[in-house]
Amino acid sequence: MKKPAPLAIVLVALVLFAAGVGIFAAIGAGGSSSPGPVVATAATLVPPSAGRLRRDFFGMVSEDAFAHPGPYRTATLNQLARLGVGIVRQTFDWATIETKPGRYDLTAYDSFVGDLAVRHMTVLPVLLDPPKFLSSAPATGAQPGTYPPRNYADLGTFASVLVRRYGPNGSFWQEHPEIPKVPIHAWQIWNEPSLPAYWPSGPDPAQYAQLLKATAAPIRKLDPDAEIVTAGIPQSRLGIPFDTFVEGMYRAGARADFDTLAIHPYASDAEGVTAAVEDARRIMNLHGDHSARIWVTELGWADAGPGSSFTVGARGQARRISSALSMLVALRYQARLRGIVYFGWRDGAPYAPTFRDFWGLHTGLVNLDGRGKPALRAFADTVARLRRQG
């Protein structure tokens, strides 16, 4: 990686909406209420183009921004852009897009991709969740979770539809010349297939490798420069261990079918995160895969909620975010680190079917009421410093 000369960075204060008291939500699409106000503390912010780090090095998960088009999304994406976020990781829900065989409704995704592009931001699509008529889920006795498609090639067909719409020669850009062209180049294939929740028939690295192969080939045919990103593989005791799963992928011949290995290195502290990245690099190098990159596509800690190794209090959350971002950036050349996506922007509420609270609902930089946590300042200040330093 080349090291250009340092760039001057202009630190700007967070633009506060609604008479200077915060970024406020409005009514979302269809008349439903969008989340409440985001009240952020003042922090030093920089545009994502500053410094030597690539524009999309820092990313965010913000399902709330996708779910609430209009004023809330506008305010949220404006703030993410000013925080130095260049990419938003978003599930492209196959089941809601392909409503009938061969019929695709991309209206909601057109809006989201366009709203990001006008800010010169992009999206990392996660291709997930086949419609029932293509799912491998049994008609009776299905386990909870997201089953892969019956025919793995069907995910490749779905991916082709998306590349033709949002890729470099995508029809979306042709139909909207008024929007800056920021085509999607990186595509993430599935999510956490080492866990039963995302492979209820039983996680199997060889089967995931087949799904990856069946999806990568059609994408590369349409965009030879596309970046194929694996599903995020977590460090978790709930499914197949990380090392075992990644080793299994390589043994199954997956090396030729991805450019970037995505990992979800949740750990009790920043040192655990960097150790996980180093472990991933070690496995890749042992298989002679020195060129493939690593992308941390989920990372986070909870400030509240049920006790867990990842529930660390407000100050602990802020400290760990700052430390982890700093340590990962310092490691980026050695590890060939592609980027970091924080999970996530805003806390979540318990959801169906259990409506059970858990630590993952409390990892936001802002809480459910929209008020910024100490983690928001930590993220903003750390990203500004890292971009300034390059």
Side-chain angles (χ1 to χ4, degrees):
M1 183 178 296
K2 294 181 180 179
K3 298 182 180 181
L7 300 177
I9 296 179
V10 179
L11 301 181
V12 297
L14 176 62
V15 175
L16 299 177
F17 289 77
V21 296
I23 298 178
F24 285 84
I27 300 301
S32 61
S33 295
S34 53
V38 173
V39 183
T41 56
T44 54
L45 306 170
V46 295
S49 59
R52 301 169 186 166
L53 293 168
R54 58 183 296 157
R55 184 182 191 89
D56 61 356
F57 188 87
F58 296 107
M60 187 69 64
V61 174
S62 183
E63 295 283 352
D64 53 307
F66 175 78
H68 297 281
Y72 178 79
R73 179 188 292 173
T74 296
T76 301
L77 295 185
N78 283 347
Q79 187 169 10
L80 290 179
R82 292 186 177 92
L83 284 170
V85 170
I87 192 166
V88 176
R89 181 174 181 258
Q90 174 63 45
T91 298
F92 276 46
D93 190 347
W94 187 4
T96 63
I97 293 173
E98 189 171 1
T99 55
K100 294 180 180 180
R103 295 185 61 179
Y104 303 93
D105 182 0
L106 287 164
T107 305
Y109 295 87
D110 281 0
S111 171
F112 194 60
V113 170
D115 285 345
L116 285 166
V118 297
R119 294 162 178 84
H120 300 279
M121 299 167 71
T122 189
V123 61
L124 173 61
V126 184
L127 310 188
L128 188 68
D129 189 22
K132 288 184 178 180
F133 53 84
L134 295 175
S135 174
S136 63
T140 59
Q143 298 298 312
T146 304
Y147 280 80
R150 284 191 306 274
N151 182 350
Y152 293 163
D154 288 338
L155 185 58
T157 300
F158 174 59
S160 297
V161 170
L162 299 178
V163 177
R164 289 191 179 99
R165 185 63 177 165
Y166 305 115
N169 299 311
S171 59
F172 177 78
W173 311 110
Q174 297 169 20
E175 293 171 11
H176 296 280
E178 76 283 3
I179 296 176
K181 186 177 179 181
V182 188
I184 297 175
H185 282 288
W187 304 89
Q188 187 163 34
I189 315 305
W190 213 253
N191 184 61
E192 298 186 340
S194 60
L195 304 185
Y198 292 102
W199 211 281
S201 54
D204 183 333
Q207 288 298 309
Y208 174 68
Q210 290 184 29
L211 178 67
L212 184 65
K213 184 181 186 67
T215 310
I219 293 175
R220 286 172 168 163
K221 184 176 181 179
L222 293 168
D223 178 9
D225 296 324
E227 179 182 3
I228 306 300
V229 184
T230 72
I233 312 300
Q235 297 278 353
S236 176
R237 293 172 292 181
L238 298 178
I240 296 178
F242 175 85
D243 289 21
T244 303
F245 195 88
V246 175
E247 288 277 3
M249 287 173 55
Y250 276 108
R251 286 197 301 271
R255 176 180 172 181
D257 299 312
F258 69 88
D259 305 291
T260 303
L261 178 71
I263 68 173
H264 293 172
Y266 290 104
S268 60
D269 54 27
E271 289 76 13
V273 170
T274 56
V277 172
E278 291 173 330
D279 184 45
R281 185 75 264 167
R282 176 188 60 80
I283 295 172
M284 298 166 77
N285 289 346
L286 283 174
H287 287 273
D289 199 0
H290 302 284
S291 62
R293 295 174 293 183
I294 295 172
W295 199 342
V296 175
T297 56
E298 281 188 25
L299 169 71
W301 287 274
D303 67 320
S308 74
S309 299
F310 316 114
T311 307
V312 295
R315 291 183 179 179
Q317 182 190 37
R319 286 196 302 269
R320 284 165 174 79
I321 288 172
S322 181
S323 296
L325 295 182
S326 300
M327 293 169 70
L328 288 174
V329 167
L331 190 64
R332 72 187 187 276
Y333 295 115
Q334 175 187 340
R336 289 190 56 78
L337 186 64
R338 165 67 167 81
I340 307 164
V341 178
Y342 185 76
F343 183 89
W345 169 243
R346 191 178 187 124
D347 284 351
Y351 47 81
T354 64
F355 294 99
R356 183 179 301 166
D357 194 12
F358 74 106
W359 69 270
L361 298 173
H362 301 270
T363 59
L365 301 183
V366 302
N367 62 26
L368 274 174
D369 295 331
R371 296 189 177 276
K373 304 176 184 180
L376 175 59
R377 177 182 287 276
F379 183 92
D381 288 348
T382 304
V383 169
R385 173 176 56 80
L386 294 172
R387 286 202 178 277
R388 185 166 61 246
Q389 294 172 348

